[in-house]
Amino acid sequence: MWDRLLVDCNIATMDPSIGAPFGAIENGAIGIQDGRIVRVGRRVELAGYQARKVEPLGGAWVTPGLIDCHTHLVFGGNRAAEHEQRLEGATYEEIARAGGGIVSTVRATRAASLEQLVDESRPRLSALMRGGVTTIEIKSGYGLDIESEVKTLRAARVLAASEPVRIATTLLALHALPPEYRERREDYVRLAINSILPAVTAEDLADAVDAYCEGIGFTPEEVEQFFTAADELGLRVKLHAEQLSNLHGAALAARFHALSADHLEHVDEDGVRAMAAADMVAVLLPGAFHALKETKRPPIDLFRRHNVAMAVATDCNPGTSPVLSPSLMLNFACTLFGLTPEEALAGMTRNAAAALGLQDEVGTISAGKAADLAVWRISRPAELCYWIGLPGPERRIFAGQDSWS
Ligand SMILES: [Zn+2]
């Protein structure tokens, strides 16, 4: 006797072994026991099974719960005032001179207590959960000192323990050079490697590490030093690479068997080949592309040609991607980058799971995986990518339980 049996539904399993677009099973059924999917198939195939609760869904579509595999969701303050100032004519230099930009987020994040950080970040998490997210990655990177990076990741762990959502945490110590290290960058890289990384791993606060490899971020050599140290501690790596220029970060990340390289507007074919050989995921971030009014799109055709899996994420952050809607990213991935609706949905389910190393746990509707599901009142899966500003699913099921936040 199962706990639940969902019936009278169509299922976009996103499982390629089903052999249909979206891994679709029409007139399907899903059996759930102890928070996991025990069986999925056509209704007639599950006819002999019984459950304590049999729930007809009135022809709705069920997808895997959405996975947002790249966010900077925990930070202090926000930059709405700067956004306003820019639209009123202020330049980036004027704003930076007045203490704005990323420095202002670093200041606010450092000044906030753990409780304040949790309280300020929770509404953003709730918005994404209402949009259908059941797994989310959260990076540090606005603390940029030992105490504040630890505090940021602790805040992410507090959110994970208090909300019905899976949270993967990532230490992004090499995000930006903190202002007090402006004239001595080697000292900051040393602090990240010798102090921040050990402090974070001592409390098991990070599931992976990340860095920002860019002219305005950190050099490939600095990233390599940081990755080498993380690798020795057994942590998987990810990399912000090739967003504004091509520093060959994707190939560098591939040498460390990275989970993913993210952004990738400027990656070349050698970089894509290296990613394919290392079985990395290309994480595409159309929200930042849109907010920065970028014009160079990531090379989608190269990813397709070399069979590099593509994920799509919100990049939720206060500066370049204040995005709180996962379905808007499904639409942007299609309209701005040219993904098909099936590629876009795979990007926020199956491939996003792989970008977090969680592909055995979530990302498709398959027997054995966690029962993280979203129930949508739509007529076909492509509708998720069609609407601009689609509200969240009708129901959100996390580990077998109906739950919002
Ligand atoms: Zn990012």
Side-chain angles (χ1 to χ4, degrees):
M1 180 82 82
W2 295 336
D3 294 334
R4 302 177 75 172
L5 180 60
L6 309 181
V7 298
D8 190 16
C9 57
N10 303 302
I11 308 165
T13 66
M14 303 313 290
D15 178 349
S17 73
I18 300 289
F22 297 92
I25 299 173
E26 296 196 16
N27 196 8
I30 303 170
I32 297 171
Q33 172 77 36
D34 297 327
R36 307 196 85 82
I37 298 160
V38 282
R39 190 83 191 254
V40 54
R42 297 190 44 233
R43 176 70 182 108
V44 289
E45 294 165 351
L46 275 71
Y49 293 93
Q50 290 192 322
R52 269 179 279 281
K53 229 161 107 189
V54 178
E55 297 162 85
L57 298 179
W61 276 87
V62 186
T63 68
L66 300 182
I67 299 173
D68 192 353
C69 68
H70 181 138
T71 86
H72 309 248
L73 182 121
V74 173
F75 54 83
N78 71 54
R79 309 231 288 271
E82 273 175 38
H83 184 240
E84 187 176 30
Q85 284 160 18
R86 273 209 311 280
L87 291 166
E88 287 168 352
T91 64
Y92 280 98
E93 286 78 23
E94 285 165 345
I95 289 169
R97 240 180 293 132
I102 190 168
V103 176
S104 71
T105 299
V106 172
R107 203 185 314 117
T109 303
R110 286 177 175 176
S113 67
L114 174 65
E115 293 70 28
Q116 283 167 335
L117 262 191
V118 169
D119 290 348
E120 285 191 50
S121 304
R122 196 185 299 277
R124 295 189 281 272
L125 177 60
S126 298
L128 291 168
M129 288 166 64
R130 277 197 302 278
V133 167
T134 49
T135 296
I136 184 170
E137 185 248 21
I138 297 178
K139 302 176 196 295
S140 67
Y142 294 112
L144 306 179
D145 61 30
I146 304 170
E147 187 194 339
S148 308
E149 287 292 291
V150 164
K151 180 177 64 183
T152 303
L153 294 170
R154 276 190 195 145
R157 293 287 202 223
V158 170
L159 289 166
S162 58
E163 297 285 349
V165 67
R166 266 165 245 285
I167 297 182
T169 55
T170 303
L171 171 65
L172 177 57
L174 297 191
H175 187 198
L177 198 60
E180 66 274 21
Y181 284 89
R182 195 56 68 206
E183 307 304 327
R184 43 190 189 110
R185 52 185 305 125
E186 323 73 58
D187 288 353
Y188 180 68
V189 174
R190 214 171 297 133
L191 179 84
I193 292 170
N194 296 335
S195 303
I196 299 177
L197 184 60
V200 162
T201 47
E203 284 187 50
D204 195 19
L205 288 173
D207 301 315
V209 304
D210 192 349
Y212 186 48
C213 185
E214 193 56 73
I216 58 167
F218 292 87
T219 66
E221 294 71 29
E222 290 163 344
V223 171
E224 185 166 4
Q225 291 171 38
F226 184 62
F227 278 5
T228 301
D231 202 38
E232 281 166 9
L233 292 167
L235 283 165
R236 298 295 300 270
V237 308
K238 313 167 72 66
L239 187 63
H240 287 68
E242 275 77 278
Q243 181 187 11
L244 307 171
S245 62
N246 185 5
L247 298 183
H248 308 287
L252 164 66
R255 291 205 296 280
F256 287 88
H257 310 287
L259 289 163
S260 68
D262 304 37
H263 286 293
L264 296 169
E265 277 81 349
H266 291 260
V267 73
D268 61 17
E269 187 156 11
D270 284 345
V272 175
R273 251 192 229 110
M275 289 179 67
D279 206 16
M280 286 164 60
V281 177
V283 178
L284 309 177
L285 304 168
F289 178 90
H290 166 77
L292 293 169
K293 299 192 176 72
E294 292 287 334
T295 52
K296 188 167 168 50
R297 310 192 312 174
I300 305 303
D301 285 338
L302 284 180
F303 298 136
R304 287 180 182 140
R305 198 177 317 146
H306 293 280
N307 287 316
V308 173
M310 293 180 281
V312 174
T314 63
D315 195 13
C316 176
N317 78 65
T320 59
S321 190
V323 171
L324 295 176
S325 166
S327 68
L328 185 62
M329 295 305 97
L330 293 176
N331 175 271
F332 275 13
C334 296
T335 55
L336 299 179
F337 290 168
L339 268 64
T340 66
E342 187 178 359
E343 286 172 332
L345 189 56
M348 292 202 90
T349 55
R350 186 179 69 238
N351 295 342
L356 299 175
L358 295 175
Q359 61 272 20
D360 294 335
E361 184 67 12
V362 291
T364 63
I365 301 180
S366 314
K369 290 200 183 178
D372 290 3
L373 307 168
V375 179
W376 308 85
R377 191 58 53 188
I378 52 174
S379 57
R380 55 193 299 156
E383 209 176 318
L384 296 176
C385 305
Y386 161 73
W387 296 110
I388 301 173
L390 181 78
E394 184 176 276
R395 291 167 73 173
R396 175 187 180 278
I397 297 174
F398 175 73
Q401 304 287 328
D402 274 61
S403 50
W404 295 99
S405 66

